[in-house]
Amino acid sequence: MIASNPLYLHTHDSLGWQKTLANCLTQPEQLLQRLELDLSALSEIKKAHSDFKLLVPEPYLKRIKKGDPDDPLLKQILPTGQELSQTPGFTRDPLNEGEYNPFEGIIHKYKGRLLLITSGACAVNCRFCFRRHFPYQNNQLGGAKLDKALSYIAKDTSIREVILSGGDPLAASDNRLQRLTTSLAAISHVQILRIHSRLPIVIPQRITDEMIHWFTSTRLSPVLVIHCNHPQEIDQQVANSLNQLHRAGVTLLNQSTLLKGVNDSAEVLIRLSHKLFEHHVLPYYLHQLDHVQGAAHFEVSDTKALKLMHAVMANCSGYLVPKLVRELDGYPNKIPLSA
Ligand SMILES: *Cc1c(COP(=O)(O)O)cnc(C)c1O
Ligand code: SF4
């Protein structure tokens, strides 16, 4: 019933965002030309790209400043030669998720909540992503696999919250997500439906009336955690989508990853918190980078991270201060960092 490529299912539903998704920019040379950047690093960029492809949608691309190699949005999507170096301690599956994958489609690591890998696809390839080596293809949920996942959740009454994850769960079609939501709402101990997605940021057109409808029309409490790393990622269209979600009663939270050269500045983090709140989003987590091979150049030291947090605390209302955390294998929760 579920085709192998979730992006081309259900051609009858609102196609705007799916077209945008299908027309992502994927060629390094084209990106450099569009952004009026120097082509001299192209061969290294292509090497990094062959390991983990360049993928960037148009609405995100247009927020990147032309001619600026240090643009904080560009840095998150442009493959670089730095990704090719091997750094001790940076591995292919740093969170050992293989072990918490009872079967395809579920990662159950923490009490009371679990991840349901709803779509293997993403609308953007973030260079720091800890899932860059994760076998997505084996984790596309549908048919018999989905039935197995649902019966796992139905059997374990300790599960109060189901977190749709990926890839990016909102890369799946509304029809599929609607059916999934209905099935989850039928499991009486499930109370909260949480979605972690970067789509509201990278393709804000994804937030359609149809999407809001399935998300808010069951008895489950809807929570959406957007993944925004920099205030420049929030343009008018993103703001409109967030306002729509807010009006529909969705609890909006943000998680960021702390990234060298992108948001490792107190000024940027403070501005991010203020801008998020302007659009009804509360900061939730600020993640220390997962030690995934190819992302070491984004790492910010714990000492610097804590210093940044002190500056944020000194300048923001308490509820605008995200929790600085790290995810490590073998703990019952994400670990807060403290001095
Ligand atoms: C982050 C994460 C969760 C959710 O943790 P919260 O602290 O509730 O946000 C659940 N399962 C896994 C595997 C996770 O990585
Ligand atoms: S899973 Fe999230 S961080 Fe990773 S590439 Fe997809 S959108 Fe980016």
Side-chain angles (χ1 to χ4, degrees), residues 122 124-126 128-129 136 167 198:
C122 279
V124 62
N125 280 344
C126 308
F128 50 86
C129 183
Y136 288 136
R198 197 150 155 69

Side-chain angles (χ1 to χ4, degrees), residues 39-332:
L39 289 166
S40 64
L42 188 61
S43 75
E44 283 208 320
I45 289 172
K46 278 188 168 162
K47 249 188 238 159
H49 159 79
S50 70
D51 191 39
F52 181 50
K53 297 277 182 250
L54 166 73
L55 182 74
V56 58
E58 205 57 45
Y60 192 78
L61 192 56
K62 74 176 192 212
R63 292 170 227 154
I64 300 177
K65 216 176 330 116
K66 283 192 175 151
D68 180 4
D70 295 323
D71 183 277
L73 276 55
L74 177 70
K75 290 213 152 166
Q76 296 180 60
I77 56 105
L78 179 68
T80 67
Q82 289 161 297
E83 295 174 24
L84 305 168
S85 59
Q86 305 265 344
T87 307
F90 283 70
T91 61
R92 292 179 71 86
D93 179 13
L95 303 180
N96 192 21
E97 285 198 334
E99 190 183 322
Y100 302 95
N101 211 196
F103 46 80
E104 290 169 20
I106 283 201
I107 300 176
H108 191 184
K109 191 165 160 183
Y110 299 148
K111 280 192 186 146
R113 56 223 196 269
L114 54 68
L115 301 187
L116 195 55
I117 307 296
T118 314
S119 159
C122 279
V124 62
N125 280 344
C126 308
R127 307 317 298 178
F128 50 86
C129 183
F130 78 98
R131 293 223 164 98
R132 58 187 285 158
H133 309 290
F134 198 71
Y136 288 136
Q137 296 73 7
N138 304 334
N139 276 279
Q140 306 236 2
L141 211 54
K145 281 192 237 168
L146 179 58
D147 292 343
K148 251 174 116 181
L150 289 169
S151 67
Y152 179 91
I153 296 167
K155 268 190 218 131
D156 185 342
T157 55
S158 73
I159 298 166
R160 298 191 71 247
E161 180 174 21
V162 173
I163 305 170
L164 306 188
S165 181
D168 197 309
L170 291 181
S173 73
D174 285 320
N175 282 348
R176 245 184 93 194
L177 290 163
Q178 162 102 61
R179 284 198 303 272
L180 177 58
T181 305
T182 307
S183 307
L184 290 170
I187 302 172
S188 60
H189 51 271
V190 176
Q191 300 296 328
I192 302 168
L193 177 62
R194 185 193 327 178
I195 293 177
H196 274 252
S197 173
R198 197 150 155 69
L199 263 159
I201 294 296
V202 300
I203 306 181
Q205 294 79 356
R206 176 67 185 92
I207 308 306
T208 57
D209 291 344
E210 209 177 344
M211 181 266 161
I212 289 180
H213 177 75
W214 61 254
F215 195 30
T216 58
S217 65
T218 66
R219 61 172 189 84
L220 303 172
S221 302
V223 178
L224 177 61
V225 183
I226 62 167
H227 291 195
C228 180
N229 292 322
H230 194 283
Q232 191 182 317
E233 291 181 340
I234 304 176
D235 67 359
Q236 194 53 51
Q237 271 179 323
V238 173
N240 292 346
S241 294
L242 294 173
N243 291 339
Q244 252 180 295
L245 289 158
H246 170 70
R247 278 198 304 273
V250 175
T251 297
L252 293 169
L253 303 171
N254 181 57
Q255 83 168 35
S256 310
T257 302
L258 186 57
L259 300 165
K260 190 175 179 174
V262 174
N263 58 12
D264 60 335
S265 118
E267 184 271 326
V268 168
L269 292 173
I270 292 163
R271 210 149 40 86
L272 176 59
S273 276
H274 288 153
K275 195 156 182 186
L276 287 166
F277 187 72
E278 239 176 84
H279 302 294
H280 319 288
V281 183
L282 287 174
Y284 181 34
Y285 281 139
L286 177 63
H287 276 268
Q288 270 295 42
L289 191 75
D290 296 315
H291 285 181
V292 63
Q293 201 181 91
H297 56 289
F298 283 115
E299 165 131 280
V300 176
S301 71
D302 285 357
T303 312
K304 173 149 191 201
L306 287 164
K307 239 195 200 153
L308 290 171
M309 286 314 297
H310 289 143
V312 174
M313 283 189 265
N315 285 282
C316 285
S317 308
Y319 56 85
L320 295 186
V321 180
K323 283 183 215 147
L324 176 66
V325 292
R326 160 169 289 130
E327 190 156 344
L328 291 175
D329 180 32
Y331 288 82

Side-chain angles (χ1 to χ4, degrees), residues 1-54:
M1 192 160 99
I2 302 294
S4 62
N5 189 337
L7 310 187
Y8 295 99
L9 283 177
H10 309 301
T11 45
H12 57 273
D13 59 22
S14 64
L15 273 174
W17 67 271
Q18 287 175 314
K19 268 193 196 134
T20 306
L21 192 49
N23 292 326
C24 281
L25 193 147
T26 55
Q27 295 309 315
E29 203 160 356
Q30 209 184 342
L31 179 76
L32 296 178
Q33 279 162 355
R34 269 280 300 272
L35 295 175
E36 297 167 14
L37 293 165
D38 179 17
L39 289 166
S40 64
L42 188 61
S43 75
E44 283 208 320
I45 289 172
K46 278 188 168 162
K47 249 188 238 159
H49 159 79
S50 70
D51 191 39
F52 181 50
K53 297 277 182 250
L54 166 73

